Amino acid sequence: MNTVNSMSAVELSRQIQKGNISVKEVLNSFLKIAEKYDGILHCYNTVCAETAEKRAGEIQKGIENGRYRGRLAGVPIAIKDNICTKGIATTCSSGILKSFVPFYNASVIESIYNGGMLVTGKLNMDEFAMGSTTQTSATGATKNPWDLNRVAGGSSGGSAAAVAAGLVPLSLGTDTGGSIRQPCSFCGVSGLKPTYSAVSRYGLIAYASSLDQIGPVGRCVEDCAALFELICGPDSKDSTSAKNYHFDFEQAVKGEIKGKKIGIPKEYMSGDINEEVKSAILNAVDVFKSLGASVEYFDLPLSDFATPAYYIIACAEASSNLARFDGVKYGCAAENCGSLDELYVKSRSQGFSMETKRRIMLGNFVLSSGYYEQYYMKALKAQSLISKAFDKAFERFDIILAPVAPATAWGLGEKLDNPVEMYLSDIYTVTVNLAGLPAFAMPCGFDKSGLPVGMQLIGRRFGEAEILSAAKAFESVTEYHKAVPKLVKEGSL
Ligand code: GLN
């Protein structure tokens, strides 16, 4: 990576605003890397070089005349392909939306444009954000820049791999049950799953509306904090968006940890966790202690129910959200259909992948009249107990520390024929979405094969600044976030 590509996004903007480098130079430097590596990694579904170049000129002028002065003005960003971008295809990596070009922007896109950022393109993901590997994408899997035979994680695999390989300094992902945190952990970058309602979901193509959140992916705390600052806040177009939330950027990058009480759920450090992941987390514990925090274990007894409850709720909502893709209102229509029913059936059969169909069926099943009480209502009860268990933990602790995933990135093709095994790998992340809490994922070590390990810092509702500040403290005495995949460093990708 050259200096432009390795600089933090906030530093890049500073250099642009000082006039040391132009918006166009920065953009071209990233587009060049994308051109070189994306054929191998497949992070992008769409690259919009021309529109970005055009916009670079406008932003340059805007910076010079004082219109754009924000922390990220002039910085390129790539967007997960389930966030609507006006005039740019938004496919959810699905066959059914392959020709969908929105005529409006999601609110987060308006926010980043108002902040003077430029969109380089749309990033690969699991179809409709359903998956943990980016392999359910209709456009093919994204590869992990640390090892091309391994998955990048998912569903925001494109968002994490693009940042890890230096294709772009920042990206947006979405997290319904871990989809920002887990790919960040697999690719050695950082990402924030915001408190539910902190970021507008207007224009996000819904997977499970009560759990979905859009969040930043970057290489360091400061970059993620700056992007979060830009996209968070109330939005009249999203009735669930929090009305009075104010995020304090300065506090978030202070690096405060001394005297903080950190709790670790006992259940997360036993059972199926890989020993190397565990030892990286224990190292992080030592770092936090040396910085003056106290660390204690506690019981989070309901975590066993979390994965089933999550999959029941997420699939139930998905089955309803995805009903609109019928080949008429949205989506590609099947050809040569004799009746309306045939059009629905054929369009959906052809347009959705196996995994999406499985979840629609599961969702319809748990919502059907005979099973609603038995599954869906039970899952909602479990969700409420999980939420209460976290509230109780936060009476004792300021921050909860946990691994992101039980293992590091696994091989491409693995677990694909065993969906339940795949679902179980989400065990440490789904609880956070069920409880609506914020969590920051960041690199904290490597396993023996050199693959990154991630940890997450979970906070109280709207406690983003507090967890980011703790993360910043960790970052300032460690080097994990600076590590670059060997293949990228040597230019041999
Ligand atoms: N892996 C989880 C799932 O498949 C989480 C996905 C997400 O957060 N979008 O549902």
Side-chain angles (χ1 to χ4, degrees):
M1 281 199 221
N2 64 24
T3 33
V4 169
N5 297 80
S6 59
M7 233 183 255
S8 79
V10 170
E11 184 55 29
L12 269 177
S13 180
R14 234 178 259 138
Q15 294 302 326
I16 293 171
Q17 296 190 47
K18 276 190 193 158
N20 293 339
I21 187 162
S22 74
V23 178
K24 221 172 223 157
E25 280 168 323
V26 169
L27 173 68
N28 286 337
S29 166
F30 284 102
L31 288 177
K32 225 157 104 196
I33 302 262
E35 206 174 296
K36 191 163 153 202
Y37 292 152
D38 202 48
I40 302 160
L41 293 172
H42 186 35
C43 299
Y44 279 105
N45 279 342
T46 308
V47 178
C48 26
E50 257 174 54
T51 3
E53 270 163 23
K54 204 171 135 232
R55 189 154 158 77
E58 292 162 20
I59 291 178
Q60 185 69 49
K61 269 192 219 129
I63 288 175
E64 281 159 16
N65 67 26
R67 174 161 176 217
Y68 299 121
R69 294 178 207 192
R71 280 181 238 281
L72 294 172
V75 173
I77 183 170
I79 310 292
K80 187 173 178 180
D81 210 7
N82 56 351
I83 299 173
C84 285
T85 39
K86 187 174 168 181
I88 305 170
T90 300
T91 70
C92 284
S93 288
S94 176
I96 208 158
L97 283 181
K98 64 174 183 260
S99 53
F100 176 55
V101 180
F103 54 84
Y104 69 101
N105 279 324
S107 293
V108 292
I109 301 296
E110 291 294 335
S111 304
I112 61 171
Y113 281 157
N114 291 336
M117 299 188 80
L118 18 85
V119 170
T120 55
K122 304 302 288 289
L123 297 165
N124 197 15
M125 54 185 278
D126 280 296
E127 189 186 36
F128 287 104
M130 296 172 180
S132 312
T133 61
T134 314
Q135 291 177 109
T136 68
S137 164
T139 65
T142 295
K143 291 181 181 155
N144 191 316
W146 292 87
D147 177 346
L148 299 177
N149 295 314
R150 294 186 185 258
V151 299
S155 64
S156 314
S159 307
V163 171
L167 271 53
V168 77
L170 277 170
S171 65
L172 282 181
T174 63
D175 194 311
T176 306
S179 278
I180 289 177
R181 289 162 286 156
Q182 187 256 29
C184 281
S185 163
F186 281 14
C187 293
V189 292
S190 298
L192 175 70
K193 182 264 162 201
T195 306
Y196 184 77
S197 82
V199 175
S200 167
R201 289 180 298 109
Y202 177 77
L204 163 66
I205 298 178
Y207 161 18
S209 323
S210 77
L211 306 166
D212 298 339
Q213 270 293 283
I214 300 173
V217 173
R219 277 201 303 260
C220 61
V221 171
E222 192 181 24
D223 286 0
C224 290
L227 182 52
F228 178 64
E229 181 189 36
L230 205 52
I231 60 173
C232 74
D235 179 14
S236 58
K237 290 180 180 149
D238 173 0
S239 62
T240 62
S241 91
K243 304 286 171 292
N244 299 313
Y245 179 42
H246 172 70
F247 170 67
D248 186 341
F249 174 86
E250 298 303 336
Q251 196 207 330
V253 297
K254 245 190 193 153
E256 274 176 349
I257 187 70
K258 207 169 182 271
K260 296 273 180 196
K261 294 190 199 117
I262 299 180
I264 304 187
K266 257 187 221 151
E267 294 76 2
Y268 284 23
M269 295 296 273
S270 56
D272 283 339
I273 186 165
N274 166 306
E275 281 306 314
E276 293 165 53
V277 172
K278 192 169 161 181
S279 95
I281 302 292
L282 293 175
N283 272 335
V285 167
D286 290 341
V287 173
F288 282 121
K289 281 187 182 161
S290 74
L291 290 167
S294 68
V295 184
E296 253 180 77
Y297 287 86
F298 71 100
D299 284 314
L300 193 62
L302 295 153
S303 51
D304 272 359
F305 305 110
T307 312
Y310 165 80
Y311 274 94
I312 289 171
I313 294 169
C315 292
E317 292 185 26
S319 69
S320 152
N321 280 327
L322 269 57
R324 74 193 70 171
F325 305 111
D326 56 8
V328 180
K329 291 193 282 297
Y330 290 96
C332 295
E335 282 170 20
N336 304 322
C337 297
S339 67
L340 189 60
D341 272 355
E342 198 184 341
L343 173 70
Y344 288 158
V345 172
K346 270 198 181 163
S347 303
R348 288 169 68 81
S349 301
Q350 291 166 8
F352 291 134
S353 74
M354 236 356 254
E355 182 59 26
T356 303
K357 285 179 196 162
R358 184 182 292 127
R359 296 194 190 201
I360 293 173
M361 305 261 287
L362 184 65
N364 278 312
F365 174 76
V366 298
L367 289 178
S368 58
S369 63
Y371 296 101
Y372 183 84
E373 295 280 335
Q374 202 177 331
Y375 293 106
Y376 185 66
M377 285 308 283
K378 233 190 222 165
L380 289 184
K381 282 181 195 150
Q383 175 179 31
S384 137
L385 292 173
I386 288 164
S387 199
K388 284 190 189 126
F390 271 109
D391 288 345
K392 206 163 148 231
F394 281 116
E395 286 170 12
R396 272 177 69 194
F397 303 109
D398 301 307
I399 293 166
I400 293 171
L401 169 65
V404 172
T408 49
W410 56 81
L412 283 160
E414 267 176 53
K415 298 192 208 240
L416 264 185
D417 49 5
N418 189 345
V420 173
E421 201 188 326
M422 182 95 81
Y423 300 166
L424 287 174
S425 70
D426 295 333
I427 173 124
Y428 309 139
T429 47
V430 293
T431 41
V432 170
N433 301 71
L434 288 171
L437 303 173
F440 185 67
M442 68 190 297
C444 68
F446 293 94
D447 70 4
K448 285 197 196 97
S449 19
L451 294 169
V453 177
M455 64 173 172
Q456 53 178 335
L457 299 170
I458 306 166
R460 299 186 175 95
R461 251 162 239 120
F462 303 112
E464 277 84 356
E466 189 170 23
I467 51 172
L468 286 166
S469 198
K472 176 75 188 182
F474 181 85
E475 211 178 70
S476 28
V477 295
T478 54
E479 301 270 306
Y480 305 111
H481 64 291
K482 292 187 187 150
V484 174
K486 201 163 153 248
L487 297 170
V488 178
K489 210 162 36 190
E490 292 170 354
S492 56
L493 193 70

